Amino acid sequence: MTTDTVAIGKRPIRHDGVDKVTGRAQYGNDVKLAGTLYAHILRSAHAHARIMSIDTSAAGELPGVQAVVTSADMPDLSKNTEVINDGEGEGGGLAYMSQNMLARGKVLYHGHAIAAVAATSASIAEEACKLIKVDYEILPPLLSTCDAMKDDAPIIHAAMRTEEAGKLGDKPSNVAKHMQLKRGDMDAGFAEADVVVEREFFTKMVHQGYIEPQATTVLWKQDGTLSIWASTQSPWGVRREVSELLQVPQGKIKVTPTEIGGGFGGKLDVYLEPVAAILSKKAGYKPVKMAMSRADVLMATGPTSGSWIKVKMGVKKNGEITAAQAWMEYEAGAFPGSPVGAGMGVIFGPYRLPNVQIDGYDVIVNKPKTMAYRAPGGTNAAYASESVVDELAEKIGMDPLRLRQLNGAKEGDRRVDGPTFQRVGYLETVQAAINSPHYEDGLAAAPATNIKVGRGVASGFWFNWGGKSSCNAAVNPDGSITLSEGSADIGGTRTSISMQLAEVLGIGVENIKPAVVDTDSVGYNDATGGSRTTFGSGLAAFEVGTKIKQIMIERAAKFWEIDAKDVTLVRGVFKNHSKQMTFAELAAKLDETGGQVVASAATDGKGGAPAFGTHVVDVAVDTETGKVQILRYTAVQDVGHAIYPPYVEGQIQGGVSQGVGWALHEEYFYNDKGLLLNASLLDYRMPTALDLPMIETILVEVASPNHPYGVRGVGEVPIVPPAAAVANAIHNAIGVRVTNLPMSPGEVLRALGKI
Amino acid sequence: MYIAFMQAFDYVNATTIEQAVAVMYREGDMAKPLAGGTDIIVQLREGRKNAKVVVNVKNIPRLAGLDWAPGGALTIGAATPMHLIYGNAPIAAAFPGLMDAFSLVGGTAIQGRASLGGNLCTASPAGDTIPALIAHNAVCVIAGTSGWREVEVEKFCVSPGRNALQRGELLVEIRIPANATGAQKFGAAYLRFIPRNEMDIAVASAGVSVVLEGGKIVKARVALGAVGPTPIVAIEAEKALIGAAVDDAKAVAAAMAAASTAATPISDMRGTLAQRKHLAGIMTKRALESAISRAN
């Protein structure tokens, strides 16, 4: 890309850096209001049970308790059919979302919220919860798509009928939705193939593992307005969801996003805010703070689906893939809305396919309602398809990257889910992987006879999104610019958005003062999610910068008493023949040229510019213990245009780290009663720094045609290939395909036949 | 600041064994000794244990510190934190098999507080120090209202989370014998299997020691962790090794098989029964190889 930039592509100090490294940044749980009450939630001890009665009287009488609530204190929305879409993954019905806040009639998973208490201390609130008596009629839990889809399976939601091609089925079912994508002739496609491979894959529910648990403070005031402070990816989403769930107009709600310690999709929807709100009102309009423990987060927020996926693919000896078919069953959790639809788009995303059929099922089970997790539904989908692609390459004796080159999607090819690709950089990532030092180097020697080493590759696709953004900018007398924006800053977007504003004006990004403001202080912004923020909010910054630039040129013209068309702005300097003036010099003269300069922009970014990645990994497998070590990892990605390269590299490394955790260790471990046994970070094993090598990144820049600076979203696609790449490397090392995630030591030992 | 609930309790800062023992006799199970607190504070906060009185034992002189002369037995005060033990260079060099375990308990910050006595008294089936202490033939020295007694470490754990201490008893110190003299050479090692590379709990572990004389194993100890309700002494594995030459592959295979057989694990989120029995053999082999190389 062009290197003649003032801000873009540089590596400045991030705007939020000092506050974060000094501990001064205010996260969700740092909000302190005078007179705050502390709340605690009583959660279900069972996976599936009817609530026969709830007696909160003893809790209400405990000194210090100010309010106790159950679902009876919330509007009954059980008959409401409205769908709330969080902007990523599948939307959930409002009725279901209401039931997920506080159980109504039945508890549907271990940890499902039943009641909440606000008290003068957190200890009293917790003690009071122990005094709430719940009578349950325990029902059998359904813990897999296989069990939930059996003909005689107990029905979790009595009214549920399977939605299929826009119609509802005629009998109760645990399948919320069946979707199908199809084109070409499957039989002819498979008949043409020289090799057909069909494999089944099981994956477990996994969690985003953001480090900051959900936390909120809510004040319902006597005038009927609500102030909400929340750790969220979506301030306007919180506003809308609270509005809908509590039937309060959106205009009466103000949401202030705090700093956010990670989200990865898991902080798009509300869990605590509506409950804290009704406690606040019931306690007499006092602020109520709620913060989850780690166990709460793991039990009762939104992990991503466990799944069963079957993939069948055919290939000719010359490497041409002739047909591809997939059956995908995703656990939605207790309420509809798994990311199976997105998974269907990802599963064969990198390929040009003449004959393809994908069937996807959104299946209710007695586990927490799933929520978006970084490229939702993509990692497990690619694990299945990219393992099969690897096997096709092996069976026809072709280098697996060569096979991808022959079949890779490019501009003009039609995606399985409909749209035609504009300019995309998939083939460029494959070529860069082939040319990488990693792929050119041989494998490291095994240090002992029980250790086997191997290499794997895999590719991944993610849609990316544009979405709506708004921002306000004001020029200060010293030439700095205050930028008020509304995108919760998870991945360093204050800086990547500011850099685009700075670039338009030709000034350094240190002159931009970005602030993430509340929902009353700037126009609507979609969530920080879908890899959209640097793209979509960057567009708003570009537009507001363009407006400021035009106004400032007019001011310079006025000052010089010439025509505006005779003034240029180049690298932050206004010029007219021999006359020139810096941006800061003009900013100091605003009062003389017509007063303050402000602008705002509201944009809706279309064509979010899909991203592709191709990963190469070397592993060492201890064949006696089944333990897999990652020896070397290289992630190649089409990043469009790296606005802030360190963040882009960090996003890729972060996605790979989570993907490796999913590949090797992470899983929701339920007993046969449906109780989650590993709701702690001791036994829910995310990788530590000691479990990963330095992850090398190779940034390929194929500019997006839909953005003035060529931006593509970069945050999600790096989590798509890792599980498949690691599986393929394990196969290369030990000659066995591991088809269950996680590929934990026990799973590898089983695949080896050692246990 | 949101503070998680913790039950209220009284705090006694004991400076003598007699004082601590008196309180613990008076309150029975509702009195909990406190050394580093890395287990008990978490257990109290999470409601897994209850206490009316917490008795700080760190300020009792005999419970804090090390006593060792080269070639002799090592005595470790029960409240001595791990880092003071493995941070003592001569002791660490003389007892590498113990240091394998002591340096694994938690991270560095935890090791600054966590005591050997605490790890032992917690009596976790997966406690890292216990198989290593058993392999070293360590003995617990216990004070009580009715006098003092000694219990071998291998008999100290009675069930998950329960130890042999009776009402009013306090673990004072752990005594580790020299284990070999003259022409005999002693070597020991502790190894555990964890899925990650750190921050994990053993799926299976083994503490193994050997006494070598003339190229033969004359004594052997094999203790297994995380594969039963308490650490397990694999007696048949020990028998398979005693008398064998150090390079006798058949004896090693027999010991591995015996260790697998001795293991009585459960399946849980950390591993399955079959996996743990398999790993008991693998960890025994690897710890044995290390113990032999240290003895030579």
Side-chain angles (χ1 to χ4, degrees):
Chain A
M1 293 302 293
T2 157
T3 51
D4 185 26
T5 56
V6 176
I8 287 176
K10 309 286 188 221
R11 296 173 178 251
I13 292 173
R14 55 193 288 172
H15 294 90
D16 53 334
V18 169
D19 279 354
K20 284 181 177 166
V21 299
T22 57
R24 210 175 280 128
Q26 297 284 302
Y27 288 89
N29 208 7
D30 294 326
V31 175
K32 291 183 180 74
L33 301 186
T36 293
L37 302 177
Y38 298 85
H40 195 84
I41 287 185
L42 174 71
R43 297 185 179 281
S44 172
H46 305 287
H48 193 194
R50 202 175 307 285
I51 299 173
M52 307 308 286
S53 66
I54 305 176
D55 180 357
T56 63
S57 54
E61 285 159 16
L62 188 70
V65 170
Q66 305 244 333
V68 185
V69 296
T70 66
S71 60
D73 295 278
M74 286 180 67
D76 185 351
L77 302 175
S78 10
K79 302 283 183 271
N80 190 304
T81 54
E82 192 174 347
V83 169
I84 284 211
N85 197 319
D86 54 52
E88 181 153 81
E90 306 296 317
L94 188 59
Y96 293 131
M97 185 179 267
S98 175
Q99 285 178 53
N100 202 22
M101 298 301 108
L102 288 170
R104 194 175 280 277
K106 275 168 92 178
V107 288
L108 299 176
Y109 56 93
H110 181 208
H112 194 166
I114 296 172
V117 176
T120 49
S121 80
S123 304
I124 294 170
E126 185 173 342
E127 280 301 284
C129 279
K130 293 178 188 163
L131 300 175
I132 298 173
K133 290 189 200 79
V134 182
D135 280 339
Y136 298 100
E137 178 197 339
I138 296 172
L139 302 168
L142 292 170
L143 300 171
S144 69
T145 62
C146 176
D147 286 346
M149 290 172 80
K150 278 182 184 149
D151 282 342
D152 59 347
I155 299 297
I156 296 175
H157 296 286
M160 182 170 285
R161 307 284 186 276
T162 302
E163 183 190 335
E164 210 161 17
K167 289 182 184 158
L168 291 180
D170 53 9
K171 61 177 193 329
S173 166
N174 292 317
V175 178
K177 201 170 183 181
H178 168 218
M179 289 172 279
Q180 189 178 65
L181 298 171
K182 191 170 190 300
R183 76 160 167 259
D185 182 334
M186 299 309 296
D187 291 342
F190 284 119
E192 265 187 276
D194 295 309
V195 171
V196 174
V197 171
E198 182 176 318
R199 293 260 181 192
E200 293 175 27
F201 301 84
F202 280 99
T203 74
K204 299 281 181 54
M205 196 168 254
V206 296
H207 196 271
Q208 299 86 355
Y210 39 80
I211 286 306
E212 183 205 16
Q214 269 84 350
T216 191
T217 299
V218 180
L219 174 59
W220 193 318
K221 296 182 212 168
Q222 287 86 342
D223 64 1
T225 63
L226 281 84
S227 292
I228 300 173
W229 289 261
S231 171
T232 177
Q233 294 174 241
S234 182
W236 281 265
V238 171
R239 189 177 75 169
R240 173 164 180 223
E241 289 174 358
V242 171
S243 158
E244 301 264 14
L245 290 165
L246 302 183
Q247 302 286 294
V248 173
Q250 291 196 41
K252 289 192 182 290
I253 301 169
K254 178 174 86 170
V255 178
T256 305
T258 64
E259 289 294 344
I260 175 168
F264 310 106
K267 290 183 186 163
L268 289 168
D269 277 351
V270 295
Y271 297 97
L272 303 176
E273 292 80 0
V275 181
I278 57 175
L279 283 168
S280 172
K281 187 181 184 184
K282 198 168 181 179
Y285 305 100
K286 292 171 186 162
V288 170
K289 174 180 276 203
M290 283 183 126
M292 286 195 177
S293 67
R294 181 62 58 186
D296 293 338
V297 168
L298 288 166
M299 278 198 298
T301 60
T304 196
S305 305
S307 60
W308 176 83
I309 301 173
K310 185 162 74 170
V311 169
K312 181 179 177 186
M313 294 180 87
V315 68
K316 289 185 187 171
K317 282 186 183 137
N318 67 5
E320 183 189 338
I321 297 175
T322 58
Q325 190 166 7
W327 295 260
M328 308 171 73
E329 299 172 3
Y330 276 42
E331 295 169 3
F335 304 102
S338 78
V340 66
M344 292 165 72
V346 168
I347 191 160
F348 300 126
Y351 303 104
R352 184 180 67 249
L353 295 168
N355 305 302
V356 59
Q357 181 177 332
I358 305 169
D359 286 88
Y361 298 86
D362 187 34
V363 186
I364 306 300
V365 294
N366 290 113
K367 297 182 183 179
K369 153 79 172 75
T370 54
M371 193 52 210
Y373 175 18
R374 202 171 199 157
T379 304
N380 44 335
Y383 167 60
S385 54
E386 289 291 282
S387 292
V388 170
V389 169
D390 195 67
E391 192 167 347
L392 294 178
E394 180 201 359
K395 293 218 157 120
I396 61 168
M398 185 178 279
D399 177 278
L401 289 179
R402 178 70 193 142
L403 180 65
R404 287 170 172 85
Q405 276 187 317
L406 290 176
N407 295 281
K410 57 183 185 305
E411 185 174 359
D413 287 334
R414 238 186 105 201
R415 270 164 41 184
V416 175
D417 56 331
T420 299
F421 282 118
Q422 293 177 285
R423 182 76 173 91
V424 289
Y426 175 49
L427 292 174
E428 287 81 352
T429 68
V430 178
Q431 190 60 53
I434 291 171
N435 296 344
S436 67
H438 184 166
Y439 207 62
E440 286 179 353
D441 287 351
L443 277 165
T449 53
N450 60 299
I451 306 289
K452 304 290 179 201
V453 294
R455 173 169 298 166
V457 300
S459 293
F461 157 78
W462 186 249
F463 311 84
N464 291 338
W465 180 37
K468 297 185 184 70
S469 291
S470 310
C471 64
N472 305 326
V475 179
N476 298 313
D478 60 355
S480 66
I481 294 180
T482 308
L483 174 66
S484 301
E485 42 118 347
S487 291
D489 184 356
I490 294 197
T493 50
R494 280 184 183 85
T495 303
S496 67
I497 293 167
S498 296
M499 288 167 90
Q500 297 179 64
L501 170 58
E503 192 65 44
V504 181
L505 299 171
I507 59 178
V509 72
E510 66 281 2
N511 297 300
I512 312 295
K513 295 165 59 188
V516 179
V517 298
D518 65 67
T519 54
D520 282 359
S521 301
V522 68
Y524 176 84
N525 281 266
D526 276 324
T528 296
S531 298
R532 73 161 212 96
T533 308
T534 297
F535 180 98
S537 295
L539 279 177
F542 178 85
E543 189 171 314
V544 87
T546 305
K547 289 180 180 176
I548 295 275
K549 178 178 172 180
Q550 189 52 41
I551 300 170
M552 290 295 277
I553 283 176
E554 286 162 12
R555 296 301 179 88
K558 198 168 180 185
F559 186 73
W560 285 325
E561 299 182 329
I562 57 174
D563 202 291
K565 70 176 175 355
D566 297 324
V567 179
T568 58
L569 174 59
V570 179
R571 295 184 82 84
V573 179
F574 297 93
K575 287 185 182 168
N576 171 264
H577 302 295
S578 58
K579 290 195 284 281
Q580 66 174 50
M581 188 165 30
T582 65
F583 191 91
E585 285 166 349
L586 179 58
K589 298 178 177 31
L590 293 187
D591 283 350
E592 303 159 41
T593 57
Q596 65 271 40
V597 170
V598 298
S600 61
T603 54
D604 188 1
K606 303 292 185 196
F612 290 92
T614 298
H615 294 190
V616 183
V617 59
D618 294 353
V619 302
V621 183
D622 184 333
T623 56
E624 289 181 339
T625 64
K627 184 164 170 171
V628 176
Q629 297 282 0
I630 307 293
L631 299 176
R632 187 175 181 182
Y633 204 111
T634 301
V636 186
Q637 187 170 319
D638 170 19
V639 301
H641 186 174
I643 299 297
Y644 188 7
Y647 287 173
V648 173
E649 292 154 5
Q651 286 286 340
I652 294 172
Q653 291 163 331
V656 170
S657 303
Q658 289 182 310
V660 167
W662 193 340
L664 295 179
H665 299 301
E666 295 178 37
E667 63 176 307
Y668 269 44
F669 193 96
Y670 285 95
N671 69 9
D672 58 6
K673 294 190 172 75
L675 304 183
L676 182 63
L677 299 187
N678 62 337
S680 80
L681 293 187
L682 179 60
D683 286 312
Y684 182 86
R685 293 189 189 84
M686 299 196 292
T688 74
L690 295 171
D691 300 306
L692 292 162
M694 182 64 192
I695 294 156
E696 302 293 334
T697 59
I698 297 175
L699 309 185
V700 174
E701 297 192 310
V702 177
S704 154
N706 300 318
H707 189 284
Y709 294 124
V711 172
R712 290 179 195 276
V714 298
E716 288 174 291
V717 79
I719 201 178
V720 177
V726 171
N728 294 338
I730 291 171
H731 169 261
N732 185 242
I734 62 175
V736 177
R737 293 214 177 260
V738 184
T739 55
N740 295 335
L741 291 186
M743 297 177 283
S744 60
E747 199 58 43
V748 172
L749 283 178
R750 271 190 292 282
L752 283 166
K754 297 273 175 91
I755 57 172
Chain B
M1 178 71 189
Y2 180 94
I3 307 284
F5 174 72
M6 182 140 95
Q7 55 202 306
F9 52 76
D10 290 333
Y11 176 80
V12 172
N13 182 29
T15 53
T16 66
I17 290 171
E18 293 71 24
Q19 186 190 0
V21 162
V23 175
M24 294 180 57
Y25 184 78
R26 190 180 73 223
E27 303 296 342
D29 246 9
M30 291 306 284
K32 303 288 187 227
L34 170 76
T38 58
D39 279 338
I40 191 66
I41 289 174
V42 177
Q43 290 162 342
L44 292 175
R45 192 172 59 208
E46 293 181 354
R48 287 190 277 141
K49 283 192 178 166
N50 298 304
K52 217 168 110 190
V53 185
V54 167
V55 186
N56 177 25
V57 298
K58 284 189 293 294
N59 293 328
I60 302 172
R62 194 164 164 181
L63 268 75
L66 304 163
D67 183 22
W68 179 68
L74 166 65
T75 302
I76 302 172
T80 311
M82 301 295 175
H83 89 101
L84 281 185
I85 311 172
Y86 70 71
N88 182 314
I91 289 177
F95 296 90
L98 285 178
M99 301 313 139
D100 288 344
F102 296 176
S103 58
L104 281 179
V105 178
T108 306
I110 293 291
Q111 290 160 0
R113 297 196 64 86
S115 67
L116 179 59
N119 192 253
L120 197 44
C121 288
T122 291
S124 162
D128 284 310
T129 65
I130 307 168
L133 288 168
I134 294 171
H136 283 79
N137 300 300
V139 174
C140 299
V141 179
I142 296 163
T145 39
S146 49
W148 290 59
R149 65 186 180 120
E150 294 190 357
V151 175
E152 293 159 330
V153 170
E154 62 188 272
K155 291 180 183 144
F156 186 74
C157 299
V158 297
S159 65
R162 308 291 307 180
N163 59 48
L165 294 176
Q166 301 296 313
R167 185 181 184 116
E169 284 192 326
L170 177 70
L171 177 63
V172 174
E173 59 198 21
I174 297 98
R175 199 174 297 146
I176 298 119
N179 279 314
T181 52
Q184 294 190 337
K185 305 270 194 207
F186 176 82
Y190 172 77
L191 274 178
R192 66 176 182 179
F193 179 76
I194 53 174
R196 288 188 293 203
N197 290 329
E198 259 300 343
M199 303 291 287
D200 232 332
I201 287 183
V203 177
S205 69
V208 174
S209 72
V210 291
V211 175
L212 304 185
E213 193 168 5
K216 282 199 163 168
I217 298 170
V218 296
K219 287 182 191 165
R221 300 303 321 267
V222 178
L224 306 172
V227 291
T230 66
I232 289 170
V233 178
I235 293 164
E236 295 304 316
E238 294 175 349
K239 284 184 188 161
L241 294 170
I242 292 166
V246 293
D247 55 357
D248 183 344
K250 273 192 184 163
V252 174
M256 287 173 72
S260 284
T261 303
T264 57
I266 54 168
S267 289
D268 66 9
M269 66 276 189
R270 294 176 188 148
T272 63
L273 186 153
Q275 180 189 5
R276 285 178 151 142
K277 285 179 90 73
H278 170 81
L279 287 173
I282 299 292
M283 291 298 110
T284 295
K285 177 184 77 169
R286 292 183 181 182
L288 174 66
E289 286 165 355
S290 177
I292 289 171
S293 76
R294 282 171 172 169
N296 279 321

